[in-house]
């Protein structure tokens, strides 16, 4: 029987491989969004300028007609989502499924290959979690719907337009201001890329953990290892959990109340074994049998079994 340290080392290597793959997919997603961002700027500009009026000196008029043109921002973003972002989302969902499938590497040898392959191939739960139909359409109100609508970027564009109207910008000033807001200054990433960067990484990780939960159910495992290295930026929540054994019931019950869990006052729901250390967490969960849990930490298993009567 392999030693506990050897098991942890092997799992760490596999977890690192998943993290590295997410980094590559994240970078590719960023490039796709950057290309789409250029088209977004043009769509917004074309939609707005047809509905804005300028005075004899070539400056935007501060009146209700120009302010009413703000509705064109929403129409532009909706057009962008349907005509441009749809292709980016299709690739992103494909990448999410691929990353989620890599979770199966954590369970190699735990069950017959056919059993593991069946779990990997079944993406019903995953698609439901991220908000995509079997045919590939994004479900309204889902996490992908919210991200693809880019509400913060929309509102930012509206603020630029309002400022331009109230300040009486020329067409050149308006064009430059809009371009700077959306595309950023030279050498910096644009607003849409930054927005996606905020959410895309966490969605990749959440997709992996949703698939991980499928493996837990399919293999009937009630114990887990918190896998991942400790680095200088590791949160206290993760530092004290890395390399340790937990029961599923223990994690679900106690992690939400952990004093070191960040974001408790954010109002954003916390799902312990999906969100782990929350935003940008690089640690992973590997579900294990009770036999392996006993091998790694028999005292902890005895304590938790008594505490939760399991």
């Amino acid at each position: 029987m392999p030693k506990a340290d050897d098991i942890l080392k092997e799992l760490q290597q596999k977890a690192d491989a998943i993290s590295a793959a997410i980094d590559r997919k994240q970078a590719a997603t960023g490039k796709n969004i950057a290309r789409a961002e250029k088209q977004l700027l043009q769509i917004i500009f074309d939609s707005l300028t047809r509905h804005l009026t300028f005075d004899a000196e070539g400056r935007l008029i501060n009146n209700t007609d120009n302010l009413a043109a703000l509705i064109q921002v929403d129409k532009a973003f909706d057009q962008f989502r349907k005509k441009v972002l749809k292709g980016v989302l299709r690739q992103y969902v494909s990448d999410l499924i691929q990353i989620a499938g890599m979770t199966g590497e954590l369970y190699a040898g735990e069950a017959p290959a056919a059993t593991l392959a069946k779990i990997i191939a079944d993406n019903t739960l995953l698609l439901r979690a991220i908000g995509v139909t079997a045919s590939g359409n994004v479900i309204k109100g889902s996490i992908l719907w919210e991200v693809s609508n880019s509400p913060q970027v929309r509102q930012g564009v509206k603020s630029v337009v309002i400022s331009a109207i109230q300040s009486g910008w020329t067409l050149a000033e308006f064009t430059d201001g809009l371009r700077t807001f959306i595309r950023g200054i030279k050498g910096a990433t644009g607003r849409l890329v930054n927005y996606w960067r905020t959410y895309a990484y966490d969605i990749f990780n959440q997709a992996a953990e949703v698939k991980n939960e499928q493996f837990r159910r399919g293999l009937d495992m009630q114990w887990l290892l918190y896998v991942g290295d400790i680095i200088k930026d590791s949160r206290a929540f993760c530092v004290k959990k890395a390399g340790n054994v937990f029961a599923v019931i223990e994690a679900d019950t106690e992690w939400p109340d952990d004093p070191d869990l960040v974001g408790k006052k954010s109002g954003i729901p916390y799902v312990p074994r999906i969100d782990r250390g929350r935003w940008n967490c690089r640690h992973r969960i590997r579900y294990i049998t009770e036999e392996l849990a006993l091998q790694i930490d028999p005292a902890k298993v005895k304590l938790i079994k008594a505490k939760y009567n399991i």
Side-chain angles (χ1 to χ4, degrees):
M1 182 177 292
K3 295 181 179 179
D5 287 346
D6 293 334
I7 294 171
L8 287 170
K9 183 178 180 180
E10 181 182 358
L11 290 177
Q12 179 62 59
Q13 291 172 343
K14 291 180 177 180
D16 287 344
I18 295 174
S19 294
I22 288 176
D23 288 341
R24 291 193 296 272
K25 294 296 186 183
Q26 171 85 344
T29 299
K31 291 180 180 178
N32 290 338
I33 293 296
R35 285 191 287 268
E37 194 175 57
K38 295 179 181 179
Q39 298 180 65
L40 172 62
L41 175 61
Q42 190 62 52
I43 292 171
I44 293 174
F45 185 76
D46 290 345
S47 297
L48 276 171
T49 52
R50 292 199 303 269
H51 295 84
L52 294 174
T53 55
F54 296 79
D55 62 20
E57 296 179 355
R59 295 188 174 278
L60 280 165
I61 301 171
N62 187 4
N63 60 17
T64 55
D65 287 341
N66 274 347
L67 290 173
L70 285 170
I71 194 175
Q72 300 304 321
V73 174
D74 287 318
K75 291 182 178 180
F77 270 89
D78 290 343
Q79 180 184 349
F80 170 72
R81 188 188 70 244
K82 295 174 183 177
K83 294 187 176 181
V84 179
L85 204 56
K86 186 175 182 179
V88 176
L89 284 171
R90 189 181 300 113
Q91 180 61 52
Y92 182 58
V93 170
S94 176
D95 290 344
L96 287 173
I97 292 172
Q98 184 178 344
I99 291 296
M102 289 183 67
T103 307
E105 293 296 321
L106 295 172
Y107 299 94
E110 288 286 352
T115 299
L116 298 179
K118 185 177 180 180
I119 296 173
I120 292 173
D122 181 7
N123 291 308
T124 304
L125 180 61
L126 173 61
L127 293 177
R128 187 184 307 133
I130 62 177
V132 179
T133 65
S135 59
N137 294 318
V138 177
I139 299 171
K140 188 174 182 178
S142 68
I143 186 171
L144 272 190
W145 174 269
E146 291 300 318
V147 174
S148 64
N149 271 280
S150 310
Q152 295 175 18
V153 183
R154 284 189 188 220
Q155 190 56 47
V157 170
K158 290 179 182 179
S159 295
V160 171
V161 176
I162 291 172
S163 179
I165 293 171
Q166 292 179 339
S167 301
W169 288 2
T170 64
L171 179 60
E173 290 170 336
F174 177 66
T175 302
D176 184 63
L178 198 59
R179 181 186 297 109
T180 300
F181 177 82
I182 295 176
R183 298 285 293 146
I185 61 175
K186 186 176 182 180
T189 53
R191 193 69 54 137
L192 192 67
V193 172
N194 284 335
Y195 178 80
W196 267 77
R197 183 177 291 169
T198 302
Y199 294 97
Y201 183 83
D202 284 334
I203 297 175
F204 271 124
N205 280 285
Q206 289 166 0
E209 291 305 329
V210 168
K211 178 62 73 173
N212 208 8
E213 172 65 9
Q214 277 188 260
F215 279 103
R216 184 193 73 79
R217 296 179 185 180
L219 303 178
D220 192 24
M221 293 176 169
Q222 302 303 322
W223 297 84
L224 63 91
L225 274 171
Y226 202 84
V227 182
D229 286 332
I230 299 301
I231 59 176
K232 65 178 182 179
D233 295 330
S234 293
R235 298 184 177 111
F237 177 92
C238 296
V239 170
K240 61 187 181 185
K241 290 176 174 54
N244 292 324
V245 171
F246 298 89
V248 168
I249 190 173
E250 174 192 10
D252 289 348
T253 303
E254 299 182 17
W255 289 6
D257 295 323
D258 190 305
D260 292 317
L261 178 66
V262 300
K264 286 184 179 180
K265 296 181 180 180
S266 67
I268 300 174
Y270 173 67
V271 183
R273 292 178 288 111
I274 300 296
D275 297 327
R276 297 149 291 120
R278 300 203 91 159
W279 304 289
N280 295 317
C281 180
R282 298 181 67 87
H283 289 86
R284 311 217 162 273
I285 284 174
R286 203 288 200 175
Y287 295 103
I288 57 176
T289 62
E290 185 174 317
E291 179 185 16
L292 181 52
L294 281 165
Q295 182 186 345
I296 295 172
D297 194 343
K300 172 68 180 293
V301 173
K302 182 179 179 180
L303 176 67
I304 295 302
K305 284 174 71 71
K307 181 177 181 179
Y308 287 96
N309 194 28
I310 57 176

